[in-house]
Amino acid sequence: RHGATKKKRPPPPAQHRHPCPSSRSARHFTSSLQKAPSPPPPAMSQVPPVLKAREEDIAMMLASQVHIGTRNLEPDMEQYVWKRRNDGLYIIDLRKTYEKLVLAARVIVAIENPKDVALVSARPYGQRAVLKYASYTGANGLAGRFTPGTFTNQIQKNFVEPRLLVATDPRTDHQPLREASYVNVPTVAFCHTDAPLRYVDVAVPANNKGKHAIGTLYWLLAREVLYLRGSTHCNRQQGWDVMVDMFFYRDPEEVERDAQEQALLEAANAQQAQQFAAAQAAAAGAARRWQARAQRAR
């Protein structure tokens, strides 16, 4: 046994590997993934034709630069961006802006008492628009500085309990948005491309830094609310007789200058009227004297 040699076992037969996708190289697999077509973007919610934007509404938003964004972009606002210009500004999709405006109007109309809708605007460009919206729709407009505790401190004189909050800018109106989250109040806000969406339930993507853009947005929102409420002086057939210029911010110096020009114009008109009256009196006196001379001559 000591001299016996061990027999070597034969090597196992080579396994035949069938070609499969897993045997491709990593580079070829990666290139095949890059060539694969990307899935189409998710479609927005379908709305009835009567609620879709008209050409004049889109033209108005383009003229007031509602679609102009900033050079910064929040990840949550990326879904509302259409493209980026060469100068770095992001362009907002106006179709999504109008759909969100209609959604916000439907949310507002669901509140039975219009006074339960609170509007806040710490930005000066939005204060006139907030007050005009409140006057035409019956909402509660809180323009100017927001006093902390307005929604939470019941001892305050200005304490209110709204059922819905509409904010002009989530950055400047962060205090009312935070207090609304404490008391479980849903919120609607006009959000720029760099606006945070914390405590915001319905975000309307739009330019909330331009005075014309803010006025146009509140005018469109007020008109849609009146449409949905079935107002007699505002319907989809006849339109709304209120001009959008009423919602635009006006500089106090410009208002004072316009008042002075109006006063000068009224004074000039009054002086012209006095001169015309004096000329008429002189003509009437001359006519009477001529008639008296004619009678004496007879």
Side-chain angles (χ1 to χ4, degrees), residues 210-278:
K211 59 180 180 180
H212 295 149
I214 294 177
T216 303
L217 290 170
Y218 274 106
W219 184 85
L220 290 172
L221 185 61
R223 189 191 65 175
E224 191 65 30
V225 168
L226 295 177
Y227 281 170
L228 295 177
R229 287 179 180 172
S231 178
T232 57
H233 63 278
C234 180
N235 50 51
R236 300 188 186 276
Q237 288 75 23
Q238 300 178 358
W240 197 20
D241 56 354
V242 177
M243 300 296 294
V244 68
D245 301 350
M246 298 292 293
F247 286 71
F248 290 165
Y249 169 80
R250 298 189 63 186
D251 190 7
E253 296 180 357
E254 181 182 356
V255 174
E256 184 178 357
R257 185 168 57 253
D258 292 346
Q260 292 178 357
E261 292 178 357
Q262 184 67 21
L264 292 176
L265 182 61
E266 291 178 357
N269 292 336
Q271 184 178 2
Q272 186 176 3
Q274 290 179 359
Q275 292 177 357
F276 182 73

Side-chain angles (χ1 to χ4, degrees), residues 53-65:
R54 297 177 297 180
E55 292 185 4
E56 50 267 26
D57 297 336
I58 298 298
M60 183 185 299
M61 288 192 288
L62 288 174
S64 57
Q65 297 184 351

Side-chain angles (χ1 to χ4, degrees), residues 6 28 42 76 105 121 129 162 170 185:
K6 294 183 179 181
H28 182 69
D76 295 334
S121 177
V185 173

